[in-house]
Amino acid sequence: MKVIIKPKRGFGKIETELDESVITKIKELGRRYQVSEEKILEIIFSGEFKNPKGNVKELEETVEELKKKVGSLEKEWAPLRYKAYGVSEDNKILAIELSGLLAENLQLKRFLRKKIERNVELRKLIQYYLR
């Protein structure tokens, strides 16, 4: 891999060829920490890398435990999400049926020449469940 370092201003640049072992280490770090190779080189050249505080192995084990907990919570949440979807679909169907019954009731009242009462709150509730 050929690395070219250019200054922000002015002329001059540095070109160097990296060894194959260095390239594999950079790629491994990129996959491990999900960072681009360019960013890793930038950190190396600028000296921004930090020595970890504490034991890295313990932190990685903690991360793995948390990933397992996330997986178990996801397993618990998936059926609840499915049930909630089913209930919301049932609510839509009931809102459609209720809307039809209200329209039928309105037509019957007109046919019988009775007083028509508009229930605005009920219409708002039906619209809420139809969204």
Side-chain angles (χ1 to χ4, degrees):
M1 174 188 282
K2 190 174 189 178
V3 177
I4 301 172
I5 302 171
K6 295 180 182 179
K8 290 184 181 178
R9 287 190 192 172
F11 300 105
K13 61 182 176 182
I14 301 171
E15 292 183 26
T16 184
E17 191 72 31
L18 294 179
D19 192 353
E20 194 64 36
S21 63
V22 174
I23 295 169
T24 56
K25 286 182 182 179
I26 288 173
K27 288 181 179 179
E28 180 185 327
L29 285 171
R31 280 192 299 270
R32 185 175 180 185
Y33 296 108
Q34 298 174 352
V35 179
S36 69
E37 296 169 8
E38 292 82 16
K39 183 66 177 171
I40 291 172
L41 288 172
E42 183 181 322
I43 290 171
I44 290 170
F45 290 134
S46 65
E48 292 180 8
F49 51 88
K50 298 177 182 175
N51 292 326
K53 296 177 184 175
N55 192 352
V56 176
K57 289 283 187 190
E58 288 178 12
L59 294 174
E60 288 176 348
E61 289 172 4
T62 306
V63 167
E64 290 302 318
E65 289 175 17
L66 290 174
K67 284 181 181 178
K68 288 178 184 176
K69 284 182 182 179
V70 166
S72 66
L73 290 174
E74 188 73 31
K75 287 178 187 176
E76 291 177 20
W77 183 62
L80 294 174
R81 184 178 57 192
Y82 179 74
K83 287 180 185 177
Y85 174 75
V87 168
S88 71
E89 290 300 308
D90 290 344
N91 283 343
K92 280 185 182 181
I93 292 169
L94 291 173
I96 291 168
E97 288 178 9
L98 181 58
S99 180
L101 291 172
L102 285 174
E104 186 179 347
N105 189 12
L106 184 68
Q107 291 300 324
L108 288 172
K109 283 186 177 182
R110 283 187 183 154
F111 179 73
L112 295 173
R113 294 187 176 129
K114 289 194 172 186
K115 183 180 177 186
I116 299 172
E117 297 174 7
R118 303 216 181 262
N119 195 339
V120 178
E121 290 180 21
L122 188 57
R123 290 286 176 188
K124 286 181 183 178
L125 191 61
I126 290 172
Q127 288 300 317
Y128 172 79
Y129 284 108
L130 288 177
R131 289 183 190 170

